[in-house]
Amino acid sequence: MKDQAMLKLGVNIDHVATVREARYRGRERGEPDPIEAALICESAGAHGITAHLREDRRHMQDRDIFQLREVVKTRLNLEMANAPEIVNIALKVKPDIVCLVPERRKEVTTEGGLDVASHWLALTDTRKKMNDAGIEVSLFIAPDPAQVEASAKVGSQFIELHTGSFAEHFNRKHERAHELERLVSAAKQARELGLQVNAGHGLNYQNLHVLRQVPHLVELNIGHSIISRAVVVGLATAVQEMLLLMRE
Ligand code: PXP
């Protein structure tokens, strides 16, 4: 229970940049500004800011990541593929932690976990580079015993359990129980192997209370549901402010 009381929130602000890029792609700046969003999340109590610099730069841009490093006062978690170009950027930015994720160009969002067992050598090499630069490392994996074991062999400090399948099956009772059980046993195994455990993907205001049954969680990384909620709870104010200007 003690672990759970200390559960931290890392807010993934990629989708703030997604909205900006829909209008201002290729320009130096535009709205909404992910840097401003990060500061709001921190002042609202978030324990960390997460951003994914994708190889195709579909949302976050390089300048965003460098600016985030300057302003984020909690913890900056950079999600990234294990690709040489991005590894070099990460070594310059020096986030507090990197979370290595698989990346496929056509995916809408990160779809699967890393196959750590198959990419053990390359991941270990990057893990060492990051740790030597004072950056912690997390590996984004499915709750699969072979992947947890391989992550420990890589020597990463954290794993982030992929909760996408849990979220997807949340409304089907038996599947939900099965997915929850996979997460619980992966978290226990990871803890026994000395790994710290984060979780993320698809977590929202409905499924969180069930996810909290997973033991040993340190931090949850949540993006889409928080940014979506912000649109809904903020829309009335935005319309009222515009109407006020029109009436003046
Ligand atoms: N964790 C990782 C590794 C991710 O790739 C993502 C999606 O970018 C998230 C967490 C957040 O997922 P969601 O946007 O569904 O909350």
Side-chain angles (χ1 to χ4, degrees):
M1 278 314 280
K2 247 189 169 177
D3 284 344
Q4 304 234 337
M6 289 162 42
L7 189 57
K8 293 182 183 143
L9 171 65
V11 181
N12 181 315
I13 55 169
D14 291 346
H15 291 309
V16 177
T18 302
V19 176
R20 179 194 61 192
E21 294 301 298
R23 171 59 62 93
Y24 293 100
R25 184 148 201 90
R27 309 235 206 124
E28 289 271 309
R29 56 171 66 87
E31 62 179 11
D33 178 13
I35 312 303
E36 188 184 0
L39 296 175
I40 293 169
C41 294
E42 281 191 324
S43 59
H47 304 92
I49 299 297
T50 296
H52 185 172
L53 185 66
R54 293 186 70 104
E55 288 182 270
D56 63 11
R57 308 300 201 274
R58 69 173 67 157
H59 36 55
M60 286 291 166
Q61 305 299 308
D62 299 39
R63 66 175 192 276
D64 294 322
I65 305 298
F66 282 95
Q67 281 177 36
L68 284 171
R69 175 65 296 178
E70 279 175 28
V71 304
V72 167
K73 297 211 169 53
T74 52
R75 259 163 83 77
L76 178 62
N77 171 24
L78 178 64
E79 284 180 10
M80 53 179 274
N82 188 19
E85 186 211 358
I86 308 288
V87 168
N88 285 334
I89 293 172
L91 290 169
K92 283 188 199 132
V93 171
K94 291 198 196 302
D96 298 278
I97 181 166
V98 294
C99 180
L100 298 172
V101 302
E103 237 178 65
R104 282 183 287 272
R105 296 228 161 200
K106 293 220 172 100
E107 69 192 359
V108 176
T109 176
T110 315
E111 277 161 12
L114 274 175
D115 185 355
V116 183
S118 307
H119 299 101
W120 185 83
L121 259 182
L123 289 168
T124 304
D125 185 48
T126 299
R127 194 278 299 160
K128 284 184 184 153
K129 278 187 192 149
M130 294 297 165
N131 284 172
D132 287 349
I135 304 165
E136 289 190 298
V137 174
S138 179
L139 303 175
F140 186 51
I141 58 167
D144 167 344
Q147 299 300 340
V148 177
E149 199 178 323
S151 301
K153 283 200 193 129
V154 165
S156 70
Q157 288 71 51
F158 286 83
I159 53 167
E160 179 169 327
L161 291 174
H162 194 320
T163 50
S165 192
F166 162 78
E168 219 170 281
H169 295 99
F170 186 73
N171 291 321
R172 289 194 288 274
K173 205 172 154 204
H174 290 293
E175 281 109 323
R176 178 213 284 197
H178 173 68
E179 293 299 333
L180 184 64
E181 187 41 46
R182 289 177 67 207
L183 290 165
V184 169
S185 80
K188 286 181 181 164
Q189 181 193 2
R191 170 77 157 225
E192 273 165 27
L193 292 168
L195 290 159
Q196 299 191 71
V197 186
N198 295 336
H201 206 98
L203 298 178
N204 60 33
Y205 297 84
Q206 289 74 45
N207 61 29
L208 186 80
H209 70 285
V210 177
L211 190 274
R212 291 208 62 188
Q213 292 172 35
V214 178
H216 311 312
L217 292 176
V218 175
E219 182 172 282
L220 301 180
N221 279 308
I222 307 182
H224 190 268
S225 65
I226 291 179
I227 303 305
S228 303
R229 180 89 186 127
V231 172
V232 171
V233 300
L235 199 51
T237 307
V239 170
Q240 283 156 8
E241 284 178 1
M242 187 57 79
L243 283 171
L244 206 64
L245 286 175
M246 288 165 66
R247 281 185 204 129
E248 268 168 13

